[in-house]
Amino acid sequence: MRELLSELRDWHTAGTPFALATVVAVRGSAPRAPGALMAVSATGAVAGSVSGGCVESDVYEVATETLTTGRTELRTYGISDDEAFGVGLTCGGTIDILVQPFVTAADRDGLRELVGTVAAGEPVSLATVVSGAARPGARRVVLTGRVSGSLGDEGLDAAVTDDARGLLAQGATGSVLYGAHGERRMQDVTVFVQTYAPAPRMLVFGAIDHAAATARIGAFLGYRVTVCDARPAFATRERFPTADEVVCAWPHTYLESTPVDARTVVCVLTHDPKFDVPLLAAALRTPAAYIGVMGSRRTHADRIARLREAGVGEAELARLASPVGLDLGARTPEETAVSIAAEIIQHRWGGTGRPLGELAGAIHHDRGGA
């Protein structure tokens, strides 16, 4: 949804009808995960992607058709060896795509709250009936403290609201099965719950050239990036234009005062003991998903010894990614930033870090969060 915010807002403002195609299920290997979106306007404009190019042309035609019929459509795309150049997935998987038209002003207004909430960074879930004993395409927007829309049955609304809030707390997206009136352990209705949690945070400590490059690639990956340094001459907006915020403060003091959750990544690029040791001692007390630290192997050994002296245990020390990054042979700040980003992605999804050409089996890993 964040990828499409600009286009959807423009179409809302202009009163332009559009259709929204959503990947609601994936079986086997597929280019995009459940929740991937593509929007098609009545003027023929396209935004987003549901398959990386494999089935977009056919989805475009289906979306255009729904703008005429006003009917929600569920399409399944698979592949077999003799269809490799037809409409389908050359990767061998199967995907289900729900295509919903937003033709009338009332339809578009029903999505306006969701778009505004996502843009504001507020957690929100969108529950949509995919199939079964309820109206396909019926939607319910679920926030922490309020809801809007209905799936057509009071019991179903209540059950979906509870589950949507649970998924929202986990940052998870997926399909849930119910009875026609919201009964558990039944399969009469399939509801796809898409969660939009705020962007995860990347905290970059040390206002150096490598930090500028890391901030740029962090923003590119969808993180909300903060750069922090205690030196006012270095911690400036001019030096870090792509960061969401630039903070001038002692790193450990700032870290102890800012929210850190299990999706936050911490990149410590200062390689100065007076900053590193108190900062890392604080970072290792947080639930951060990744804590990477720049420095040579000699610096790393000295840092570990200092942290042990500060009372940091072996289990905590094992969480450090140090020296930071994957072995890409990086030299420049930009190449180093790619190395750091690659390690963050590997850590998130459980990849091996080895060339795919040397491996067999599934390319995409199931491990990871929203």
Side-chain angles (χ1 to χ4, degrees):
M1 182 65 73
R2 291 188 185 91
E3 300 171 3
L4 310 183
L5 285 177
S6 177
E7 288 83 359
L8 292 179
R9 280 176 158 175
D10 289 345
W11 297 342
H12 273 303
T13 301
T16 303
F18 60 87
L20 201 58
T22 307
V23 177
V24 295
V26 171
R27 296 173 290 283
S29 181
R32 301 297 303 274
L37 294 170
M38 185 175 89
V40 178
S41 79
T43 61
V46 179
S49 170
V50 289
S51 74
C54 302
V55 302
E56 260 77 358
S57 294
D58 193 70
V59 173
Y60 177 89
E61 296 299 329
V62 175
T64 301
E65 179 182 334
T66 66
L67 289 174
T68 300
T69 65
R71 293 196 302 267
T72 294
E73 298 284 347
L74 178 65
R75 296 296 176 96
T76 298
Y77 296 92
I79 192 66
S80 60
D81 292 339
D82 59 353
E83 295 175 332
F85 295 100
V87 176
L89 303 176
T90 56
C91 56
T94 302
I95 59 175
D96 295 336
I97 297 179
L98 187 71
V99 185
Q100 302 170 262
F102 294 83
V103 178
T104 67
D107 289 337
R108 295 191 297 275
D109 286 344
L111 198 63
R112 187 185 301 274
E113 179 183 23
L114 178 69
V115 171
T117 303
V118 173
E122 185 178 354
V124 59
S125 290
L126 174 64
T128 306
V129 173
V130 173
S131 62
R135 181 173 62 85
R139 295 177 294 274
R140 187 166 176 83
V141 177
V142 180
L143 295 94
T144 303
R146 67 183 191 278
V147 297
S148 64
S150 174
L151 305 183
D153 179 87
E154 185 175 342
L156 183 60
D157 282 345
V160 169
T161 297
D162 286 343
D163 289 341
R165 285 183 172 144
L167 289 169
L168 187 58
Q170 301 171 38
T173 285
S175 294
V176 190
L177 302 178
Y178 301 94
H181 305 293
E183 300 91 340
R184 309 288 181 177
R185 297 184 296 278
M186 297 184 70
Q187 302 182 26
D188 299 324
V189 181
T190 300
V191 178
F192 182 68
V193 181
Q194 190 164 4
T195 64
Y196 300 97
R201 300 189 71 193
M202 173 182 280
L203 306 179
V204 182
F205 295 96
I208 62 176
D209 289 347
H210 289 81
T214 301
R216 288 196 296 272
I217 202 165
F220 176 75
L221 291 176
Y223 287 93
R224 177 175 177 81
V225 179
T226 298
V227 176
C228 176
D229 196 292
R231 302 166 296 177
F234 292 87
T236 65
R237 169 57 62 186
E238 291 74 21
R239 299 189 70 233
F240 300 98
T242 61
D244 293 284
E245 59 180 348
V246 180
V247 176
C248 183
W250 276 82
H252 73 281
T253 301
Y254 173 72
L255 183 63
E256 291 170 344
S257 66
T258 195
V260 175
D261 62 22
R263 300 188 303 150
T264 303
V265 299
V266 178
C267 301
V268 180
L269 311 182
T270 51
H271 51 270
D272 184 331
K274 69 176 178 291
F275 293 118
D276 287 0
V277 173
L279 171 60
L280 291 173
L284 290 169
R285 293 193 295 267
T286 73
Y290 170 90
I291 304 171
V293 196
M294 178 174 282
S296 67
R297 299 191 188 281
R298 179 177 178 179
T299 300
H300 169 69
D302 177 71
R303 182 188 295 129
I304 292 295
R306 290 173 183 267
L307 286 168
R308 287 191 178 115
E309 291 174 3
V312 178
E314 297 303 314
E316 288 79 12
L317 292 175
R319 295 179 60 200
L320 292 179
S322 177
V324 70
L326 296 186
D327 178 19
L328 305 182
R331 293 291 186 271
T332 67
E334 289 74 20
E335 290 174 346
T336 301
V338 171
S339 168
I340 294 170
E343 186 174 48
I344 290 171
I345 295 168
Q346 178 204 25
H347 185 83
R348 178 182 180 186
W349 296 109
T352 66
R354 294 172 55 196
L356 288 171
E358 295 180 359
L359 303 174
I363 290 176
H364 300 290
H365 293 254
D366 292 331
R367 174 185 165 188

